[in-house]
Amino acid sequence: MKSILTSVLLCLLSMHSVLAETINEVSEKVSEEQVGTLHSRISLLQMGRPNGVTLSQGQRQSGMSFTLPSDQVITDAVLNLHLQVSNELAEHDSILTLTLNGQPLSNIPLDSASSIATVYRIKIPAILVTSFNHLNFEIESGDEFLCKPEIIEQYKVSILPLTTIDLVGQQLNVAADLNQFPKPFFDEMQMNASLISVSLSERFTPEQVSAAALISSWLGMESDYRGVSFQVLTNSLPTGNGIVIGSPGDIIDGLTLPQTDQALIKIIANPNAPAHKLLLVVGRNDQQLRSAAWRLIQGGIPTNTSELMVAPQVLPQSQLYDAPRWISTQRPVYLKELIRQDQAMTVDGIWHDALNVSFRAAPDLFLWDGDSIPMKINYRFPSESWIDEEKSFLNMTFNHKFLDDLPMNKQGGLEKVWQMLGGDIRQESVDIPIDPKLVYGDNQLSLYFKVTTKADTLCNDFLNSNAQSQIKEDSWIDFSKTRHFTLLPNLSYFAGSSFPFSRMADYSETTILLPSKPANAHIATLLDMAARSGNDTGTPLVHNRVFFGVPDQGDEALISKDILAISTMDQQHFNGQLLSRSPFDTQAKTLTVRQPTMSEKVIRLIKGDWDLHGVEAERYSSSKQSWRGFVSYRSPWNPERVVVLALASDNQQLIRLNLDLNSSEIASQIHHDMSIITDENGVRSFQVAPQFPSGELPWYMLIIWYANQHSFLLACLGGLICLIAGFTFYNILVSRSKQRLNPEHENGWHNEK
């Protein structure tokens, strides 16, 4: 018996030892795969609910979705729920039920909330949080009498926009695989804006910065609404994931880039943080670097590939106005082409969200005064006996401006008579003209079916109904009658659509100028702007070209291109070269405005350019010590081209321009040819110099346009012509009259002669 017990004891000890070793191996593996603690916060705005969510006894249920990067494991999550409940609903036995991914999360008695706001911190079990999540809210009430249309609006509970989800997680150590790019540097499942580090050698070149701009523009395309920004490091590696661009043999913070005769892309472990990854983009010259960057963003790299030699690539060439994210001006475009894949043109029931159709357009679309953009909406309301057809309509707004309320039935006396005779008067198609002045670079058409029930309808009748309202797939909007024509410079076009550089979306007609020795802030600002342009157009900046300093005056890069420049006030020589023949100047690190000469004043007076504010702009800009902003002017190297200069008082101010452009409140105020942004006063914009026409109007239409724009000048010119003609004809007629009345005097004069 003793020997048996001894054997059992030894067996248990052996099993314990094996189990302990297994636990240690698993722990080591987990510690290798999980890297650091990550903190993030997701707002209702990021979940597509900028105005929050409102539930009533008619619409008792709603929800929202959020996603998380696939290389993160959530360890802790908290819902910060900001709740507002109407007094009427709080007085009754109602509960707000919360579920996450179909699993119960919390039950909140609504009598504990108030009509002002109540904050609840609800812990979310980490095991419920996955890469794709759906959070659902539902009102449960024991008072059946509340289900009556006439009192539904009094019983409301609102999930306020301040509601957020706080997440704590661990970063997983993913494999070094080029096939997964842009992961782990950017994940399309991430809802927050991404910050991506780009490392350059101490002796970086314009070609390397150009390759970085190409990659950044593609990442901007992929980020879409989430946003992306860049941190630039020289002779330093990031503490996390990052992109390294350089020449073979370059040494960056102890890391030597591989020696190679061909272009190379490679992903390795970060030597300063082995669980994170570095993407190496290596090339000897501009052609190799551009080929490596282009091959990287094309995808299709075989799985489990950590290194790829890149042969010379054939790079595509953009055509004018061919940006894939801009609506076509060649044909009518169906609304079904403009909606997202997760959207439908059919809505259920009577409580639902509006169908928001978003699209971008070239900002220089032109129509004559009085013309409009045609749009046809084909729609269908449900056929239910409980619908009040007189009070139900399809509400339409365009860029938050009311367009029309389309009724269920045709309106008019004859239609009423026809209905009384049993005829069908249902309206299901309408033509809506859109004022061109409502169209911006970024646009949204909103369609909402307002279905009203009859007074005697119980809500059970329509809550259990499967009624559907539909925008038909043959609805369209037509920009084919527009032309590309506008007045430049106009900074609102740049802020909204990276225009005029995005006219050729690959930047093949753009030259980018940086100071001769650019700081990290200059390059980071360029990469941010490249990402914005890629997002605006859906095209990477394949043919962007970067210069350090201003090229020689006769350089083709100045003569045949639009110019995008980035600088700070300490770059006095660079700024002097840029602004020497412009309406702007710098003096003692202060931006000033040149006052026009007498001849320029006369020309402006004759042309009718009276609404200029050079003096006000001069006073304002010269009084600011810390600021950032933009100036734009007609290119001194080519009068048909434009220069846009992003300028700031220092590097710290310069890198904030990306945040300014991402703010709709600030970006909407950037216009004219000079915009100054300060923390105290926000944005101040001025028109300093006259604009010039740019676009595709033929010469005879351009004459009509000039006459339309300068009617007073035309009237003065017409009056002057009439005056000159009148005096001329008067003298001729007087002379003829003298000859007719005194013929002998005339003959005598000839005889004497």
Side-chain angles (χ1 to χ4, degrees), residues 41 74 265 274 300 303 336 369 392 531 560 574 576 631 710 719 737 746:
R41 168 171 286 184
I74 299 302
I265 49 178
T303 306
K336 66 179 181 180
D369 289 344
S392 298
S560 62
F574 178 66
V631 297
H710 304 286
S737 175
E746 185 70 16

Side-chain angles (χ1 to χ4, degrees), residues 522 567-571 575 588-591 621 624-629 646-657 676-679:
H522 298 127
S567 186
T568 45
M569 293 304 298
D570 59 342
Q571 303 290 334
N575 296 339
K589 295 186 178 183
T590 300
L591 178 65
S621 61
K624 299 301 174 185
Q625 181 178 3
S626 183
W627 56 272
R628 56 202 180 272
L647 191 62
S649 57
D650 52 53
N651 292 340
Q652 288 71 31
Q653 288 288 322
L654 184 66
I655 59 178
R656 296 177 61 182
L657 279 177
I676 302 296
I677 308 171
T678 63
D679 296 336

